[in-house]
């Protein structure tokens, strides 16, 4: 422990040791109290959720959606969001996902109504095993309290309340950049919807703190049934480690960035469209690395560069990173030109293209308004797969090819939960599966057990076994029921 850390401690503070890394995390007493109280409210609410009808839960989602559709309500939320955005920009913070746009509002409303219309999962009989004289049912049941940490994404409120559909409760902690927006959503839409539908107080709770320590304290609380962290980088990994050592199952994303491979049979127009439409905005499934087989490089590299430039025209310029060995393949204009790149801290003049080591292909480019991507020339698709499996977060991959056999080999060998044959931006629960997602999981830390990479609200459940005994004389040893004494 450093002298600075020791000096920061006050009576009632906590220390969490992250066993995976040895990090020492100081949790001030006020942050621990805020998280503990929020989780406690959610635990109390969960105990009452069994008394809440599915119709009341349906009414909650409609009431939440209707509040967000109300222009007066949204004006208050938008005003709080504008203050958050201005503050974040002044501090050189990314605002890519922070701005509460009309499109975000529409997506939130659509997601809430998707949960409104979803079939209630609790009580659903998954399987019935019949025996002579008795039967066993496997029944879906609520899991408990879901802890949710996300940074700067106001729309996640709508996604995460999906756990209520299955009878669970949820505790949120949002990053400081979006805390004002979150407070407005809670006050103007979420809490009124809970009250109108008659759901228990605490069914959805915001940990009202801007401190990272509040998130650490929440994830260290063993009362959570599931810990979900949305975002990227070491902070998410750290949160996952805290929850795991508390004995709580976790769902993490951590690192994103999709890969695309174009082989010798790739159709130029399909490849052009796939690249262009995979760079519309920066999210986890945005194209991050493109591999082109050497045999087709002369034909397809110009196609890729044109698609990148066109994508930049609808944003604000573009930025290319290319494998060191392939830099000389670029036209002279790309090798010598400079470009204005929009970073979180503002516009920066940089080389249009820069060499990158193969070991850095796994780096996710967190761009703001300037599409940024890496390019690598490979001997064949098998080399691209090997690079993906070695360096990527093992998230999303696409193969552009006219060879059906190549697609089968690609699917069989690529170690990714999301595999496609076109643009990469389809990897989204609401877009692909018509279910608002809690999070997307990559395979950076291994494959998932017994579930897919899209975690949705109706996927947060446990299974209870219920016996229905028709024959009262069942006995494991076959003994008859002795007569009762009269």
């Amino acid at each position: 422990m450093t002298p600075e850390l020791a000096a920061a401690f006050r009576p009632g503070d906590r220390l969490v040791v992250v066993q995976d890394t040895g990090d020492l995390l100081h949790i001030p007493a006020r942050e621990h109290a805020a998280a503990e109280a929020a989780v406690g409210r959610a635990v109390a609410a969960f105990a009452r959720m069994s008394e809440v009808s599915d119709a009341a839960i349906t009414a909650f989602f409609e009431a939440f959606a209707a509040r967000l559709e109300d222009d007066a309500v949204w004006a208050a939320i938008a005003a709080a969001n504008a203050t958050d955005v201005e503050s974040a920009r002044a501090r050189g913070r990314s605002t890519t996902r922070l701005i509460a746009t009309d499109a975000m509002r529409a997506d939130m409303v659509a997601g809430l109504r998707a949960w409104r219309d979803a079939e209630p999962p609790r009580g659903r009989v998954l399987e019935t095993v019949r025996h002579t004289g008795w039967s066993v049912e496997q029944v879906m049941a609520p899991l408990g309290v879901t802890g949710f940490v996300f940074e700067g994404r106001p729309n996640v409120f709508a996604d995460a309340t999906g756990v209520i559909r299955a009878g669970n409760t949820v505790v949120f902690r949002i990053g400081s950049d979006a805390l004002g927006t979150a407070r407005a959503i809670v006050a103007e839409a979420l809490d009124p919807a809970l009250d109108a539908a008659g759901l228990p107080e605490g069914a959805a709770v915001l940990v009202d703190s801007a401190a990272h320590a509040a998130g650490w304290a929440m994830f260290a609380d063993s009362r959570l049934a599931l810990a979900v962290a949305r975002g990227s980088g070491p902070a998410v990994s750290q949160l996952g480690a805290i929850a795991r050592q508390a004995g709580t199952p976790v769902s993490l994303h951590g690192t994103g960035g999709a890969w695309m491979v174009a082989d010798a049979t790739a159709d130029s127009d399909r490849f052009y469209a796939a690249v262009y439409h995979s760079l519309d905005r920066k999210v986890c499934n945005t194209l991050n690395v493109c591999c082109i087989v050497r045999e087709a490089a002369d034909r397809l590299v110009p196609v890729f560069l044109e698609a990148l430039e066109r994508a930049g025209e609808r944003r604000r310029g573009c930025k290319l990173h290319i494998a060191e060995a392939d830099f000389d393949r670029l036209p002279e204009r790309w090798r010598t030109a400079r470009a204005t790149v929009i970073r979180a801290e503002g516009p920066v003049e940089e080389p249009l293209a820069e060499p990158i080591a193969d070991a850095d292909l796994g780096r996710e480019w967190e761009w703001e308004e300037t599409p940024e991507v890496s390019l690598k020339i490979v001997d064949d698709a098998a080399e691209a797969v090997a690079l993906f499996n070695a360096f990527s977060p093992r998230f999303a991959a696409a193969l552009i090819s006219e060879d059906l056999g190549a697609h089968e080999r690609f699917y069989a060998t690529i170690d990714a939960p999301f595999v496609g044959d076109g643009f990469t931006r389809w990897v989204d629960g609401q877009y692909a599966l018509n279910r608002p997602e809690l999070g997307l999981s990559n395979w950076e830390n291994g494959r998932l057990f017994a579930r897919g990479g899209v975690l949705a609200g109706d996927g947060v459940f446990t299974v209870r076994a219920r016996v229905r005994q028709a024959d009262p004389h069942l006995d494991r040893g076959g003994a008859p029921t002795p007569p009762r004494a009269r």
Side-chain angles (χ1 to χ4, degrees), residues 371-420:
E372 190 166 5
V373 66
S374 298
L375 176 64
K376 167 71 176 174
I377 307 302
V378 294
D379 289 336
D380 50 29
E383 182 186 358
V385 168
L387 289 168
F388 177 94
N389 292 346
F391 298 121
S392 84
R394 304 187 184 191
F395 179 52
L399 175 66
I400 311 301
S401 173
E402 297 297 298
D403 183 346
L404 294 179
H407 281 287
E408 293 305 313
R409 289 189 297 274
F410 186 77
Y411 182 79
T413 55
I414 198 92
D415 194 16
F418 303 103
V419 182

Short mmCIF file of all heavy atoms in Angstrom, two decimals, residues 371-420:
data_model
loop_
_atom_site.label_atom_id
_atom_site.label_comp_id
_atom_site.label_asym_id
_atom_site.label_seq_id
_atom_site.Cartn_x
_atom_site.Cartn_y
_atom_site.Cartn_z
N PRO A 371 -13.93 7.54 -39.03
CA PRO A 371 -13.79 6.09 -39.13
C PRO A 371 -12.32 5.68 -39.16
O PRO A 371 -11.53 6.23 -39.93
CB PRO A 371 -14.50 5.75 -40.44
CG PRO A 371 -15.52 6.83 -40.59
CD PRO A 371 -14.87 8.07 -40.04
N GLU A 372 -11.98 4.69 -38.34
CA GLU A 372 -10.59 4.27 -38.15
C GLU A 372 -10.55 2.76 -38.18
O GLU A 372 -11.30 2.09 -37.46
CB GLU A 372 -10.08 4.82 -36.81
CG GLU A 372 -8.60 4.68 -36.59
CD GLU A 372 -8.13 5.54 -35.42
OE1 GLU A 372 -8.98 6.16 -34.74
OE2 GLU A 372 -6.90 5.59 -35.19
N VAL A 373 -9.64 2.20 -38.98
CA VAL A 373 -9.64 0.76 -39.19
C VAL A 373 -8.23 0.30 -39.54
O VAL A 373 -7.40 1.08 -39.99
CB VAL A 373 -10.64 0.40 -40.31
CG1 VAL A 373 -10.20 0.95 -41.65
CG2 VAL A 373 -10.92 -1.10 -40.38
N SER A 374 -7.97 -0.99 -39.30
CA SER A 374 -6.67 -1.60 -39.64
C SER A 374 -6.82 -2.51 -40.85
O SER A 374 -7.86 -3.14 -41.04
CB SER A 374 -6.13 -2.41 -38.46
OG SER A 374 -5.91 -1.60 -37.33
N LEU A 375 -5.73 -2.60 -41.65
CA LEU A 375 -5.72 -3.43 -42.84
C LEU A 375 -4.51 -4.35 -42.80
O LEU A 375 -3.40 -3.91 -42.46
CB LEU A 375 -5.68 -2.55 -44.10
CG LEU A 375 -5.57 -3.26 -45.45
CD1 LEU A 375 -6.80 -4.12 -45.71
CD2 LEU A 375 -5.37 -2.24 -46.58
N LYS A 376 -4.71 -5.60 -43.18
CA LYS A 376 -3.63 -6.59 -43.21
C LYS A 376 -3.78 -7.46 -44.45
O LYS A 376 -4.87 -7.97 -44.74
CB LYS A 376 -3.69 -7.45 -41.93
CG LYS A 376 -2.84 -8.71 -41.94
CD LYS A 376 -1.37 -8.40 -41.84
CE LYS A 376 -0.54 -9.71 -41.75
NZ LYS A 376 0.92 -9.43 -41.80
N ILE A 377 -2.69 -7.65 -45.19
CA ILE A 377 -2.67 -8.57 -46.33
C ILE A 377 -2.20 -9.94 -45.82
O ILE A 377 -1.17 -10.04 -45.14
CB ILE A 377 -1.72 -8.08 -47.44
CG1 ILE A 377 -2.06 -6.62 -47.83
CG2 ILE A 377 -1.82 -8.98 -48.66
CD1 ILE A 377 -3.48 -6.41 -48.28
N VAL A 378 -2.96 -10.97 -46.14
CA VAL A 378 -2.67 -12.33 -45.66
C VAL A 378 -2.48 -13.27 -46.84
O VAL A 378 -2.94 -13.00 -47.95
CB VAL A 378 -3.79 -12.84 -44.74
CG1 VAL A 378 -3.85 -12.03 -43.45
CG2 VAL A 378 -5.14 -12.82 -45.46
N ASP A 379 -1.80 -14.39 -46.59
CA ASP A 379 -1.59 -15.36 -47.66
C ASP A 379 -2.90 -16.02 -48.06
O ASP A 379 -3.14 -16.28 -49.24
CB ASP A 379 -0.58 -16.43 -47.22
CG ASP A 379 0.84 -15.88 -47.14
OD1 ASP A 379 1.11 -14.88 -47.82
OD2 ASP A 379 1.65 -16.45 -46.38
N ASP A 380 -3.75 -16.33 -47.08
CA ASP A 380 -5.03 -16.96 -47.36
C ASP A 380 -5.96 -16.73 -46.17
O ASP A 380 -5.57 -16.15 -45.14
CB ASP A 380 -4.87 -18.46 -47.64
CG ASP A 380 -4.04 -19.17 -46.58
OD1 ASP A 380 -4.06 -18.72 -45.40
OD2 ASP A 380 -3.39 -20.19 -46.90
N ALA A 381 -7.20 -17.19 -46.29
CA ALA A 381 -8.17 -17.00 -45.21
C ALA A 381 -7.74 -17.71 -43.94
O ALA A 381 -8.04 -17.25 -42.83
CB ALA A 381 -9.55 -17.48 -45.66
N ALA A 382 -7.04 -18.82 -44.09
CA ALA A 382 -6.58 -19.55 -42.91
C ALA A 382 -5.63 -18.71 -42.08
O ALA A 382 -5.67 -18.75 -40.83
CB ALA A 382 -5.91 -20.86 -43.33
N GLU A 383 -4.76 -17.92 -42.72
CA GLU A 383 -3.87 -17.04 -41.97
C GLU A 383 -4.68 -15.97 -41.25
O GLU A 383 -4.39 -15.62 -40.09
CB GLU A 383 -2.84 -16.39 -42.88
CG GLU A 383 -1.87 -15.50 -42.10
CD GLU A 383 -0.91 -14.70 -42.98
OE1 GLU A 383 -0.96 -14.85 -44.22
OE2 GLU A 383 -0.12 -13.92 -42.41
N ALA A 384 -5.71 -15.44 -41.91
CA ALA A 384 -6.55 -14.43 -41.27
C ALA A 384 -7.24 -15.00 -40.04
O ALA A 384 -7.32 -14.35 -38.99
CB ALA A 384 -7.59 -13.91 -42.26
N VAL A 385 -7.72 -16.23 -40.14
CA VAL A 385 -8.36 -16.89 -39.00
C VAL A 385 -7.36 -17.05 -37.86
O VAL A 385 -7.68 -16.81 -36.69
CB VAL A 385 -8.94 -18.25 -39.42
CG1 VAL A 385 -9.34 -19.07 -38.19
CG2 VAL A 385 -10.14 -18.05 -40.34
N ALA A 386 -6.14 -17.46 -38.20
CA ALA A 386 -5.11 -17.64 -37.17
C ALA A 386 -4.80 -16.32 -36.47
O ALA A 386 -4.62 -16.27 -35.25
CB ALA A 386 -3.85 -18.23 -37.79
N LEU A 387 -4.72 -15.23 -37.23
CA LEU A 387 -4.48 -13.91 -36.64
C LEU A 387 -5.65 -13.50 -35.74
O LEU A 387 -5.45 -12.96 -34.64
CB LEU A 387 -4.27 -12.86 -37.74
CG LEU A 387 -2.95 -12.96 -38.52
CD1 LEU A 387 -3.01 -12.06 -39.74
CD2 LEU A 387 -1.77 -12.59 -37.63
N PHE A 388 -6.85 -13.73 -36.22
CA PHE A 388 -8.04 -13.42 -35.42
C PHE A 388 -8.02 -14.17 -34.11
O PHE A 388 -8.22 -13.61 -33.02
CB PHE A 388 -9.31 -13.76 -36.22
CG PHE A 388 -10.59 -13.53 -35.47
CD1 PHE A 388 -11.29 -12.34 -35.60
CD2 PHE A 388 -11.12 -14.51 -34.62
CE1 PHE A 388 -12.47 -12.11 -34.91
CE2 PHE A 388 -12.30 -14.29 -33.92
CZ PHE A 388 -12.98 -13.09 -34.07
N ASN A 389 -7.76 -15.48 -34.18
CA ASN A 389 -7.77 -16.31 -32.97
C ASN A 389 -6.64 -15.95 -32.01
O ASN A 389 -6.75 -16.15 -30.80
CB ASN A 389 -7.69 -17.78 -33.35
CG ASN A 389 -8.94 -18.29 -34.05
OD1 ASN A 389 -9.98 -17.63 -34.03
ND2 ASN A 389 -8.85 -19.46 -34.67
N ALA A 390 -5.56 -15.39 -32.56
CA ALA A 390 -4.41 -15.05 -31.71
C ALA A 390 -4.50 -13.66 -31.10
O ALA A 390 -4.12 -13.46 -29.94
CB ALA A 390 -3.12 -15.17 -32.53
N PHE A 391 -5.00 -12.68 -31.86
CA PHE A 391 -4.89 -11.28 -31.43
C PHE A 391 -6.21 -10.57 -31.15
O PHE A 391 -6.22 -9.57 -30.42
CB PHE A 391 -4.12 -10.48 -32.48
CG PHE A 391 -2.71 -10.94 -32.70
CD1 PHE A 391 -2.28 -11.36 -33.94
CD2 PHE A 391 -1.81 -10.95 -31.64
CE1 PHE A 391 -0.97 -11.78 -34.15
CE2 PHE A 391 -0.50 -11.37 -31.84
CZ PHE A 391 -0.08 -11.80 -33.08
N SER A 392 -7.29 -11.04 -31.71
CA SER A 392 -8.55 -10.30 -31.56
C SER A 392 -9.21 -10.62 -30.22
O SER A 392 -8.82 -11.56 -29.53
CB SER A 392 -9.51 -10.68 -32.69
OG SER A 392 -10.21 -11.87 -32.37
N PRO A 393 -10.24 -9.87 -29.84
CA PRO A 393 -11.01 -10.22 -28.65
C PRO A 393 -11.97 -11.38 -28.90
O PRO A 393 -12.76 -11.71 -28.02
CB PRO A 393 -11.77 -8.93 -28.33
CG PRO A 393 -11.93 -8.26 -29.65
CD PRO A 393 -10.65 -8.56 -30.39
N ARG A 394 -11.89 -11.97 -30.07
CA ARG A 394 -12.74 -13.11 -30.43
C ARG A 394 -14.21 -12.75 -30.27
O ARG A 394 -14.95 -13.34 -29.49
CB ARG A 394 -12.38 -14.35 -29.59
CG ARG A 394 -10.91 -14.72 -29.73
CD ARG A 394 -10.56 -16.02 -29.05
NE ARG A 394 -9.13 -16.28 -29.13
CZ ARG A 394 -8.56 -17.44 -28.81
NH1 ARG A 394 -9.31 -18.44 -28.39
NH2 ARG A 394 -7.26 -17.59 -28.91
N PHE A 395 -14.60 -11.79 -31.09
CA PHE A 395 -15.95 -11.25 -30.98
C PHE A 395 -16.76 -11.49 -32.25
O PHE A 395 -17.57 -12.40 -32.30
CB PHE A 395 -15.86 -9.76 -30.62
CG PHE A 395 -17.17 -9.05 -30.49
CD1 PHE A 395 -18.17 -9.56 -29.67
CD2 PHE A 395 -17.41 -7.86 -31.17
CE1 PHE A 395 -19.39 -8.91 -29.54
CE2 PHE A 395 -18.62 -7.19 -31.03
CZ PHE A 395 -19.60 -7.72 -30.22
N ALA A 396 -16.57 -10.69 -33.28
CA ALA A 396 -17.36 -10.79 -34.50
C ALA A 396 -16.45 -10.89 -35.71
O ALA A 396 -15.44 -10.19 -35.80
CB ALA A 396 -18.28 -9.58 -34.64
N ALA A 397 -16.83 -11.75 -36.66
CA ALA A 397 -16.02 -11.95 -37.86
C ALA A 397 -16.92 -12.18 -39.06
O ALA A 397 -17.98 -12.80 -38.94
CB ALA A 397 -15.07 -13.14 -37.68
N ALA A 398 -16.47 -11.69 -40.22
CA ALA A 398 -17.22 -11.88 -41.46
C ALA A 398 -16.27 -12.31 -42.56
O ALA A 398 -15.12 -11.84 -42.62
CB ALA A 398 -17.92 -10.59 -41.86
N LEU A 399 -16.74 -13.18 -43.42
CA LEU A 399 -15.99 -13.60 -44.60
C LEU A 399 -16.75 -13.18 -45.84
O LEU A 399 -17.93 -13.49 -45.99
CB LEU A 399 -15.80 -15.12 -44.61
CG LEU A 399 -15.13 -15.69 -45.88
CD1 LEU A 399 -13.69 -15.21 -45.99
CD2 LEU A 399 -15.19 -17.22 -45.90
N ILE A 400 -16.07 -12.46 -46.72
CA ILE A 400 -16.64 -12.10 -48.02
C ILE A 400 -16.02 -13.04 -49.05
O ILE A 400 -14.82 -12.97 -49.34
CB ILE A 400 -16.34 -10.63 -48.38
CG1 ILE A 400 -16.70 -9.71 -47.22
CG2 ILE A 400 -17.09 -10.25 -49.64
CD1 ILE A 400 -18.13 -9.76 -46.78
N SER A 401 -16.85 -13.93 -49.54
CA SER A 401 -16.37 -14.97 -50.45
C SER A 401 -17.54 -15.52 -51.25
O SER A 401 -18.67 -15.56 -50.76
CB SER A 401 -15.71 -16.10 -49.65
OG SER A 401 -15.38 -17.19 -50.49
N GLU A 402 -17.26 -15.97 -52.47
CA GLU A 402 -18.27 -16.63 -53.30
C GLU A 402 -18.16 -18.14 -53.21
O GLU A 402 -18.90 -18.86 -53.88
CB GLU A 402 -18.12 -16.18 -54.76
CG GLU A 402 -18.35 -14.69 -54.98
CD GLU A 402 -19.77 -14.27 -54.63
OE1 GLU A 402 -20.72 -14.78 -55.26
OE2 GLU A 402 -19.93 -13.45 -53.68
N ASP A 403 -17.25 -18.62 -52.36
CA ASP A 403 -16.97 -20.05 -52.22
C ASP A 403 -17.70 -20.58 -50.99
O ASP A 403 -17.35 -20.27 -49.85
CB ASP A 403 -15.46 -20.25 -52.09
CG ASP A 403 -15.05 -21.71 -52.01
OD1 ASP A 403 -15.93 -22.58 -51.79
OD2 ASP A 403 -13.84 -21.99 -52.14
N LEU A 404 -18.74 -21.42 -51.22
CA LEU A 404 -19.51 -21.95 -50.09
C LEU A 404 -18.64 -22.80 -49.17
O LEU A 404 -18.80 -22.77 -47.95
CB LEU A 404 -20.69 -22.76 -50.62
CG LEU A 404 -21.76 -21.98 -51.38
CD1 LEU A 404 -22.86 -22.92 -51.86
CD2 LEU A 404 -22.35 -20.88 -50.50
N GLY A 405 -17.72 -23.54 -49.75
CA GLY A 405 -16.82 -24.36 -48.93
C GLY A 405 -15.95 -23.50 -48.04
O GLY A 405 -15.66 -23.86 -46.89
N ALA A 406 -15.52 -22.35 -48.55
CA ALA A 406 -14.70 -21.43 -47.75
C ALA A 406 -15.47 -20.92 -46.55
O ALA A 406 -14.93 -20.78 -45.44
CB ALA A 406 -14.22 -20.27 -48.61
N HIS A 407 -16.76 -20.66 -46.75
CA HIS A 407 -17.58 -20.21 -45.63
C HIS A 407 -17.71 -21.29 -44.56
O HIS A 407 -17.67 -20.98 -43.36
CB HIS A 407 -18.97 -19.79 -46.13
CG HIS A 407 -19.00 -18.43 -46.76
ND1 HIS A 407 -18.91 -17.27 -46.02
CD2 HIS A 407 -19.10 -18.06 -48.06
CE1 HIS A 407 -18.95 -16.23 -46.85
NE2 HIS A 407 -19.07 -16.68 -48.09
N GLU A 408 -17.84 -22.52 -44.97
CA GLU A 408 -17.94 -23.61 -43.99
C GLU A 408 -16.64 -23.77 -43.21
O GLU A 408 -16.65 -23.96 -41.99
CB GLU A 408 -18.32 -24.92 -44.69
CG GLU A 408 -19.73 -24.92 -45.28
CD GLU A 408 -20.79 -24.58 -44.25
OE1 GLU A 408 -20.76 -25.15 -43.14
OE2 GLU A 408 -21.65 -23.73 -44.54
N ARG A 409 -15.50 -23.68 -43.91
CA ARG A 409 -14.20 -23.78 -43.23
C ARG A 409 -14.01 -22.60 -42.28
O ARG A 409 -13.49 -22.76 -41.17
CB ARG A 409 -13.06 -23.83 -44.25
CG ARG A 409 -12.98 -25.14 -45.03
CD ARG A 409 -11.71 -25.21 -45.86
NE ARG A 409 -11.65 -24.18 -46.89
CZ ARG A 409 -12.19 -24.30 -48.10
NH1 ARG A 409 -12.85 -25.40 -48.44
NH2 ARG A 409 -12.06 -23.32 -48.99
N PHE A 410 -14.41 -21.41 -42.72
CA PHE A 410 -14.27 -20.21 -41.90
C PHE A 410 -15.09 -20.35 -40.62
O PHE A 410 -14.59 -20.11 -39.51
CB PHE A 410 -14.75 -19.00 -42.72
CG PHE A 410 -14.53 -17.66 -42.06
CD1 PHE A 410 -13.28 -17.07 -42.04
CD2 PHE A 410 -15.60 -16.97 -41.49
CE1 PHE A 410 -13.08 -15.83 -41.46
CE2 PHE A 410 -15.41 -15.73 -40.90
CZ PHE A 410 -14.15 -15.16 -40.89
N TYR A 411 -16.33 -20.77 -40.75
CA TYR A 411 -17.21 -20.92 -39.58
C TYR A 411 -16.67 -21.97 -38.62
O TYR A 411 -16.73 -21.81 -37.40
CB TYR A 411 -18.62 -21.29 -40.03
CG TYR A 411 -19.60 -21.43 -38.89
CD1 TYR A 411 -20.17 -20.30 -38.30
CD2 TYR A 411 -19.95 -22.67 -38.39
CE1 TYR A 411 -21.05 -20.41 -37.25
CE2 TYR A 411 -20.83 -22.80 -37.33
CZ TYR A 411 -21.38 -21.65 -36.76
OH TYR A 411 -22.25 -21.79 -35.71
N ALA A 412 -16.10 -23.04 -39.17
CA ALA A 412 -15.61 -24.13 -38.33
C ALA A 412 -14.35 -23.77 -37.57
O ALA A 412 -14.10 -24.29 -36.49
CB ALA A 412 -15.36 -25.37 -39.19
N THR A 413 -13.55 -22.85 -38.12
CA THR A 413 -12.23 -22.59 -37.53
C THR A 413 -12.11 -21.26 -36.79
O THR A 413 -11.24 -21.11 -35.95
CB THR A 413 -11.14 -22.65 -38.61
OG1 THR A 413 -11.46 -21.73 -39.68
CG2 THR A 413 -11.03 -24.06 -39.19
N ILE A 414 -12.99 -20.30 -37.09
CA ILE A 414 -12.89 -19.00 -36.44
C ILE A 414 -13.47 -19.11 -35.03
O ILE A 414 -14.55 -19.66 -34.82
CB ILE A 414 -13.63 -17.91 -37.26
CG1 ILE A 414 -13.18 -16.51 -36.84
CG2 ILE A 414 -15.14 -18.02 -37.16
CD1 ILE A 414 -12.06 -15.96 -37.63
N ASP A 415 -12.74 -18.61 -34.04
CA ASP A 415 -13.17 -18.76 -32.64
C ASP A 415 -13.94 -17.52 -32.22
O ASP A 415 -13.45 -16.67 -31.47
CB ASP A 415 -11.94 -18.97 -31.75
CG ASP A 415 -12.29 -19.46 -30.35
OD1 ASP A 415 -13.44 -19.93 -30.17
OD2 ASP A 415 -11.44 -19.37 -29.46
N ALA A 416 -15.18 -17.41 -32.72
CA ALA A 416 -16.00 -16.23 -32.47
C ALA A 416 -17.45 -16.65 -32.27
O ALA A 416 -17.94 -17.57 -32.92
CB ALA A 416 -15.90 -15.26 -33.64
N PRO A 417 -18.17 -15.95 -31.41
CA PRO A 417 -19.60 -16.26 -31.23
C PRO A 417 -20.48 -15.68 -32.33
O PRO A 417 -21.61 -16.14 -32.52
CB PRO A 417 -19.92 -15.62 -29.87
CG PRO A 417 -18.96 -14.49 -29.75
CD PRO A 417 -17.70 -14.93 -30.45
N PHE A 418 -19.99 -14.67 -33.06
CA PHE A 418 -20.77 -14.01 -34.09
C PHE A 418 -20.03 -14.09 -35.42
O PHE A 418 -18.95 -13.50 -35.57
CB PHE A 418 -21.02 -12.55 -33.71
CG PHE A 418 -21.70 -12.37 -32.38
CD1 PHE A 418 -20.96 -11.98 -31.26
CD2 PHE A 418 -23.06 -12.61 -32.24
CE1 PHE A 418 -21.59 -11.83 -30.03
CE2 PHE A 418 -23.69 -12.45 -31.01
CZ PHE A 418 -22.95 -12.07 -29.90
N VAL A 419 -20.60 -14.81 -36.37
CA VAL A 419 -19.95 -15.04 -37.66
C VAL A 419 -20.94 -14.71 -38.77
O VAL A 419 -22.10 -15.13 -38.72
CB VAL A 419 -19.47 -16.50 -37.80
CG1 VAL A 419 -18.75 -16.70 -39.13
CG2 VAL A 419 -18.57 -16.88 -36.63
N GLY A 420 -20.49 -13.96 -39.79
CA GLY A 420 -21.38 -13.58 -40.88
C GLY A 420 -20.69 -13.59 -42.22
O GLY A 420 -19.53 -13.97 -42.35
#
